[in-house]
Amino acid sequence: EYSTASHSFTSSSGMSTTEPSATLRDNDQARSASASVTSTDGKKRKDFLDAAVAVGKSPMTIMKRAGRRAGSPLVSRKAAQAPSSSSNKATSGMPSYNRHSFLGMKMAQREEQFTYKKSFRVFCGTWNVNGQYPKEGLQPWLGMDSEPPDIYAVGFQELDLSAEALLLNDSSREEDWIRAIQVGLNQRSGARYQRMKHIRLVGMLLVVYVLEKHAEYVQDLEAQMAGTGLMGMMGNKGGVAVRFQFHNTYICFVNSHLAAHAEEVEKRNQDFSEIVSRLEFSDGKTIRDHSNVFWMGDLNYRLIGDDVIDDQAIRDMASGGNIEELKHLDQLRQERASQNVFNGFSEGELTFKPTYKFDPGTDNWDSSEKEPSSSVV
């Protein structure tokens, strides 16, 4: 059964980025998002860092903002000369915090002199594969955009449902699905991709690729995980993340699998909060400490009916493509409206039918009696 309830969200913050234009929420529907990053070349970086030192700001702090727009002059060394001795005396009694805050404010005001922005295309895809091996090529899914994306982030859930995968976190299917991704990407004409990082936690797998021409601009690459399943820590539920610095902008991709069952909406909210708070990288950064965050996965929020709209009515609306009516029944939209989950994130427009749950190997809605009032997501 290749079916899932899956979503993706994007969070954007910081002066050096702009909010991506689109996100996705589906297992085999995907969207490309444009994300702006800051950039610089080596000589400009050195000139700027010299200037930054001259005004007393730490080069490593300023470095994230370094760069310039085409045609814009760098700040001259004369303009960035150290303060005079009298000025030093005047400010020698100023607390370090205030002095650095003042310098930071001044540098932020002149950011446009040192920063230029460029848009890149990011493909986020998510699929709950229900413990299956790849049975068909992934090229139609991965190649749905006519223009090759600059970055691919592909997430799977329920990669392996065996006890061995749960207890030992070991699965041979990891390489099978990574190989299937690579074959699908290799079928794109005129584009060659390099795998940067992958991470798996039981059945959750996240794999990130970039175009080969961008690989040299990827730094500070790291992957981490957080389990929220059995006993609040096992990896049958939880999240995995890959983060890196792309040019001068920090990007974080998260793939998650949250608690199942219609009545467990509070547990899903809690799983999200646990992943955000507990998933931490080696430098102390958390998910929210990155300029752009792309969140995808099987979030398990359901379409919930009532005394008027029962399960069959939901199925009829889904089959007829009545997406607008279905949105009002979406647990996730309700929880977001109440600011219980995914605060600060944006979601792409929902334009596709629900993707869960079907009879295995068919396009027919699930005919079993399991969860009869909440089987469509």
Side-chain angles (χ1 to χ4, degrees):
E1 176 189 358
Y2 288 74
S3 60
T4 185
S6 52
H7 305 65
S8 176
F9 294 88
T10 303
S11 174
S12 180
S13 62
M15 292 189 298
S16 60
T17 62
T18 58
E19 184 172 322
S21 58
T23 52
L24 72 153
R25 168 180 166 141
D26 192 20
N27 63 320
D28 55 7
Q29 298 284 334
R31 304 288 183 268
S32 292
S34 298
S36 295
V37 303
T38 57
S39 183
T40 181
D41 61 39
K43 183 179 185 304
K44 298 168 190 171
R45 184 193 303 260
K46 182 180 184 302
D47 288 345
F48 179 67
L49 295 184
D50 289 345
V53 172
V55 298
K57 188 68 172 175
S58 164
M60 293 307 294
T61 303
I62 293 295
M63 192 170 172
K64 297 178 184 177
R65 303 282 190 247
R68 71 180 181 93
R69 296 178 299 174
S72 299
L74 285 167
V75 60
S76 69
R77 293 172 185 257
K78 181 177 180 181
Q81 287 176 349
S84 65
S85 58
S86 59
S87 177
N88 281 334
K89 292 178 181 178
T91 60
S92 60
M94 183 186 298
S96 176
Y97 172 80
N98 292 337
R99 182 167 62 251
H100 286 174
S101 297
F102 175 78
L103 291 172
M105 178 186 68
K106 289 299 183 182
M107 296 304 297
Q109 291 174 351
R110 300 174 63 182
E111 182 187 22
E112 291 300 318
Q113 294 181 257
F114 309 108
T115 303
Y116 69 92
K117 297 178 181 179
K118 184 176 181 180
S119 293
F120 294 89
R121 296 181 64 83
V122 176
F123 177 103
C124 291
T126 174
W127 192 356
N128 184 322
V129 298
N130 193 35
Q132 303 296 310
Y133 288 98
K135 296 179 180 178
E136 56 190 77
L138 302 184
Q139 197 281 330
W141 180 38
L142 300 176
M144 62 183 302
D145 292 305
S146 57
E147 181 180 346
D150 298 279
I151 302 174
Y152 271 94
V154 184
F156 297 105
Q157 306 84 41
E158 296 191 5
L159 195 76
D160 193 332
L161 302 176
S162 68
E164 180 183 16
L166 176 61
L167 297 176
L168 303 178
N169 196 25
D170 184 31
S171 175
S172 61
R173 300 184 185 184
E174 175 180 321
E175 288 301 322
D176 293 326
W177 282 102
I178 291 177
R179 190 179 305 112
I181 297 173
Q182 190 66 60
V183 170
L185 293 182
N186 288 342
Q187 293 174 344
R188 293 210 65 137
S189 60
R192 295 192 62 82
Y193 290 89
Q194 180 174 330
R195 188 175 73 191
M196 304 307 299
K197 196 76 171 177
H198 75 278
I199 183 171
R200 183 180 60 82
L201 174 61
V202 186
M204 288 169 281
L205 174 66
L206 176 61
V207 193
V208 176
Y209 293 81
V210 303
L211 282 172
E212 286 186 346
K213 65 180 182 180
H214 296 319
E216 63 179 301
Y217 302 107
V218 174
Q219 305 175 60
D220 203 8
L221 187 64
E222 188 177 348
Q224 290 293 343
M225 63 181 73
T228 63
L230 298 174
M231 298 180 290
M233 58 183 298
M234 295 295 285
N236 58 313
K237 294 293 187 289
V240 293
V242 172
R243 76 89 186 269
F244 54 91
Q245 182 180 346
F246 186 52
H247 292 269
N248 295 130
T249 294
Y250 274 91
I251 299 176
C252 182
F253 294 98
V254 183
N255 174 32
S256 67
H257 194 182
L258 308 186
H261 307 300
E263 69 277 7
E264 295 290 350
V265 60
E266 292 297 333
K267 182 62 170 69
R268 286 188 275 280
N269 294 350
Q270 180 182 341
D271 284 351
F272 167 79
S273 298
E274 286 287 313
I275 295 169
V276 170
S277 63
R278 287 172 41 203
L279 199 151
E280 183 175 311
F281 297 94
S282 60
D283 58 1
K285 283 187 171 69
T286 64
I287 292 171
R288 290 191 180 274
D289 292 326
H290 297 78
S291 302
N292 288 85
V293 176
F294 297 84
W295 193 301
M296 68 196 85
D298 185 347
L299 305 189
N300 259 320
Y301 290 91
R302 310 302 170 101
L303 295 174
I304 297 297
D306 51 31
D307 294 338
V308 177
I309 303 177
D310 60 11
D311 183 65
Q312 187 57 51
I314 293 177
R315 294 175 185 230
D316 292 341
M317 285 190 288
S319 298
N322 194 345
I323 307 300
E324 289 302 316
E325 289 297 323
L326 290 175
K327 290 179 181 179
H328 301 298
L329 308 176
D330 182 7
Q331 280 185 339
L332 181 57
R333 291 174 71 91
Q334 295 167 6
E335 293 303 305
R336 292 188 65 211
S338 299
Q339 298 187 337
N340 293 329
V341 70
F342 284 101
N343 293 327
F345 284 77
S346 61
E347 183 182 16
E349 183 63 25
L350 301 179
T351 59
F352 51 87
K353 297 178 182 180
T355 61
Y356 179 92
K357 182 179 184 181
F358 299 97
D359 287 330
T362 76
D363 291 329
N364 302 321
W365 295 117
D366 179 33
S367 58
S368 71
E369 295 301 319
K370 180 182 179 182
E371 290 193 281
S373 64
S374 59
S375 58
V376 181
V377 184

